[in-house]
Amino acid sequence: EDQVTQSPEALRLQEGESSSLNCSYTVSGLRGLFWYRQDPGKGPEFLFTLYSAGEEKEKERLKATLTKKESFLHITAPKPEDSATYLCAVLTGANSKLTFGKGITLSVRP
Amino acid sequence: EAQVTQNPRYLITVTGKKLTVTCSQNMNHEYMSWYRQDPGLGLRQIYYSMNVEVTDKGDVPEGYKVSRKEKRNFPLILESPSPNQTSLYFCASSPRDRLYFPYGYTFGSGTRLTVV
């Protein structure tokens, strides 16, 4: 059974304090790994898709990386508006089944 | 504006009364999918569709039905709702990548369903 584990469950940072969010996975046949941001009461917002180990993608203060066992979402000099829940999901198998982790709630204090 | 629209936003119903949650996208995406989100369990895929008339089960399909007769619409049907289907539901759509897998889903705003 595909498993996606995100850690830590919650993270509190001071504005400007860089950190990383972890997503580890145990799957058969990884097709892609996705990162999403979700604000309270809203649908998840797509951030990145990573396909193979060694791949990296960046968007503003966010950078996502992928290895064979895990993915990291690095947040550089975060701002309070980066506060949200960050979700990762894996796409596996010959079909298009998508399995999400439970998310990491990030809080950035001014 | 490119978006996924689902209706209604809030719904309270009684056990056993059939209901349909509608979902429509205006981005000509091939993939569409339904998810439910529950505290402590995260987002779980109910059904997905790779194109018109092609659907498949996700992780939690029991008690739900879907159909994809048109590319833009993907309704979620609960034939006989039960209290354990009380949840926050999201519809999403995605274009396909060069290998024909979903590239990245765009989510709707959600439907909060309560079954009493």
Side-chain angles (χ1 to χ4, degrees):
Chain A
E1 182 180 326
D2 298 336
Q3 288 195 340
V4 180
T5 304
Q6 293 189 249
S7 62
E9 287 187 16
L11 182 63
R12 297 187 70 185
L13 299 174
Q14 199 69 35
E15 184 173 2
E17 179 187 1
S18 301
S19 188
S20 295
L21 311 181
N22 177 262
C23 172
S24 62
Y25 57 91
T26 305
V27 301
S28 54
L30 180 73
R31 299 291 182 185
L33 185 141
F34 302 87
W35 280 98
Y36 286 87
R37 169 196 171 122
Q38 186 174 25
D39 293 300
K42 296 191 174 181
E45 174 189 347
F46 171 70
L47 294 174
F48 304 109
T49 305
L50 302 167
Y51 288 105
S52 56
E55 190 174 358
E56 298 181 352
K57 288 195 176 168
E58 287 188 69
K59 180 180 178 180
E60 296 179 356
R61 294 179 293 282
L62 300 176
K63 178 180 178 180
T65 62
L66 181 65
T67 73
K68 289 186 177 179
K69 297 286 187 185
E70 58 193 349
S71 177
F72 292 94
L73 184 66
H74 308 278
I75 302 178
T76 302
K79 299 181 178 181
E81 53 262 42
D82 294 323
S83 298
T85 296
Y86 290 86
L87 303 165
C88 78
V90 294
L91 187 71
T92 60
N95 54 25
S96 300
K97 183 164 165 288
L98 195 63
T99 302
F100 277 84
K102 293 183 181 179
I104 297 170
T105 300
L106 174 65
S107 175
V108 182
R109 296 166 294 187
Chain B
E1 180 189 351
Q3 59 185 356
V4 177
T5 303
Q6 47 181 119
N7 284 296
R9 287 295 309 276
Y10 301 92
L11 179 59
I12 300 175
T13 190
V14 296
T15 300
K17 185 177 181 182
K18 181 180 178 180
L19 67 90
T20 300
V21 184
T22 64
C23 175
S24 180
Q25 52 100 358
N26 62 1
M27 296 168 281
N28 201 36
H29 286 169
E30 288 78 15
Y31 279 92
M32 296 188 75
S33 186
W34 276 101
Y35 301 85
R36 61 178 290 174
Q37 188 170 37
D38 302 288
L41 297 177
L43 272 162
R44 293 178 292 168
Q45 193 174 40
I46 303 171
Y47 271 95
Y48 64 92
S49 168
M50 291 163 276
N51 215 323
V52 175
E53 302 290 5
V54 183
T55 63
D56 205 351
K57 297 176 181 178
D59 285 320
V60 287
E62 295 78 19
Y64 304 95
K65 283 177 60 177
V66 293
S67 67
R68 187 98 180 267
K69 295 188 172 71
E70 305 165 282
K71 196 171 186 180
R72 63 183 291 123
N73 296 322
F74 191 46
L76 180 69
I77 302 159
L78 284 72
E79 295 269 2
S80 183
S82 63
N84 64 12
Q85 293 178 297
T86 292
S87 186
L88 179 59
Y89 290 86
F90 289 103
C91 179
S93 71
S94 173
R96 61 186 183 197
D97 62 19
R98 59 186 176 84
L99 296 177
Y100 290 82
F101 290 105
Y103 175 73
Y105 279 98
T106 298
F107 282 75
S109 299
T111 295
R112 188 166 291 281
L113 172 66
T114 303
V115 184
V116 298

